[in-house]
Amino acid sequence: MRAPKRPIHTVSTWVRRQPPKVKAFLAVVTGMAALVVLRFIVHDHDNLFVAAEAVHSIGIMVLIYKLTKEKTCAGLSLKSQELTAMFLAVRLYCSFVMEYDIHTLLDLATLVTTLWVIYMIRFNLKSSYMEDKDNFAIYYVVSGTMCSFSFVHSSIDVSSFIEQDFLGILCVSGSCFCTAPVACHAEHKDC
């Protein structure tokens, strides 16, 4: 007699058989439900940020391990890594000036590992880097960040343009904008 299928296996098989649009819709709904659950479960949001920063740092360490083992960086965007390093450097500065706590150490760890990935792509794995496909202009992201700063901050004084407010907005919106080259690189072959 055959053993009955487990419910998780039945659900995963059903999801795999769905068209991509349905899978995307299910992913969005699941993500939104997870955010609602987190909103009601997590009372101290600082723990959530620490966990997110730790996962980011561990993820970059796993990327370094993969790059070291496979000896190739094909498909990886150097520009997105540079943007990530840029916003992490600003975030590290803001964290050092404003907080100086566990966030500072986690930002430092993530920045160091991101810089190591950039070093590996530029020097160790240069032959496998696809520069022709990684042609997203970084100034789009920086100018988008500055535009978001001008919308968020109502009174911009040119003399104090580079101040803590601007750097704070840069480190927050920079993390959002730095995924644009990754999405562009992943979606289009000739991006």
Side-chain angles (χ1 to χ4, degrees), residues 4-186:
K5 287 187 176 179
R6 296 186 178 169
I8 191 74
H9 179 67
T10 306
V11 170
S12 66
T13 304
W14 179 80
V15 169
R16 267 188 255 131
R17 291 181 183 163
Q18 298 305 311
K21 288 183 180 182
V22 173
K23 288 180 189 176
F25 174 75
L26 290 172
V28 168
V29 169
T30 304
M32 290 173 66
L35 288 174
V36 169
V37 168
L38 280 175
R39 173 75 173 114
F40 291 112
I41 291 176
V42 177
H43 298 291
D44 185 9
H45 297 302
D46 193 47
N47 294 338
L48 191 63
F49 289 124
V50 168
E53 290 169 354
V55 167
H56 186 192
S57 184
I58 290 168
I60 301 232
M61 288 181 207
V62 169
L63 178 62
I64 289 174
Y65 176 76
K66 179 188 171 293
L67 292 175
T68 305
K69 288 301 251 182
E70 293 184 5
K71 303 281 189 224
T72 181
C73 65
L76 188 62
S77 172
L78 175 64
K79 297 202 177 181
S80 69
Q81 295 299 317
E82 291 169 342
L83 286 169
T84 303
M86 186 187 329
F87 95 82
L88 280 170
V90 171
R91 199 163 87 179
L92 180 65
Y93 170 76
C94 289
S95 181
F96 185 75
V97 169
M98 296 178 208
E99 299 169 334
Y100 201 69
D101 56 2
I102 187 70
H103 298 283
T104 309
L105 295 174
L106 289 170
D107 286 340
L108 179 65
T110 308
L111 178 62
V112 167
T113 53
T114 302
L115 291 174
W116 184 253
V117 168
I118 292 170
Y119 170 79
M120 289 180 71
I121 292 173
R122 284 186 183 253
F123 299 107
N124 294 357
L125 305 171
K126 190 174 187 172
S127 62
S128 64
Y129 172 57
M130 298 183 291
E131 189 174 358
D132 57 326
K133 301 209 189 245
D134 193 18
N135 57 6
F136 188 83
I138 291 180
Y139 59 84
Y140 286 144
V141 177
V142 176
S143 62
T145 303
M146 288 183 187
C147 287
S148 68
F149 170 73
S150 65
F151 288 128
V152 171
H153 201 285
S154 60
S155 60
I156 297 177
D157 183 14
V158 177
S159 62
S160 63
F161 187 66
I162 301 180
E163 60 178 28
Q164 300 294 34
D165 292 340
F166 173 71
L167 293 176
I169 296 295
L170 178 67
C171 72
V172 171
S173 60
S175 63
C176 298
F177 285 119
C178 77
T179 59
V182 176
C184 180
H185 194 58

